[in-house]
Amino acid sequence: MLNDLITGSIAELLGGLAVVVVLGLAARSRRGQTARNGAAPGESGAVARPARTYTLVGTRAPDGQTAQIASSRPAGTVITWQEPASGARRFELTDAVLSDGTYAAEPLDWYR
């Protein structure tokens, strides 16, 4: 009778262990695949930044409105904007919020 009890318990133990191993391998495979694809920003280390609208300070678009661009780059990034009349100008993206809710992109050419 004790022999039957031990034999039945070992079969259940091995079956449960096999299920745990299969689930662990599936989770590990999925986690590795997600990190390689970059689909989960928290797991892969890449931070998804929302696109911000930047106003290019002191610059007008061809239609006379203030020039604005959308970018997901972090503050401190230098971008180049091609003006139709005067050529390329460099701007630094900032964290400063303007009164219209957009962020300021300051011209670097003014500070020479």
Side-chain angles (χ1 to χ4, degrees), residues 49-59 61 65-79 81 91-98 100-107:
R49 292 185 178 89
R52 293 177 168 182
T53 301
Y54 290 93
T55 298
L56 305 177
V57 176
T59 305
Q65 301 293 322
T66 57
Q68 294 182 342
I69 60 164
S71 177
S72 61
R73 295 184 176 137
T77 302
V78 176
I79 61 166
W81 190 67
F91 291 85
E92 181 178 2
L93 304 181
T94 68
D95 282 333
V97 181
L98 300 174
D100 62 354
T102 62
Y103 292 86
E106 296 184 9

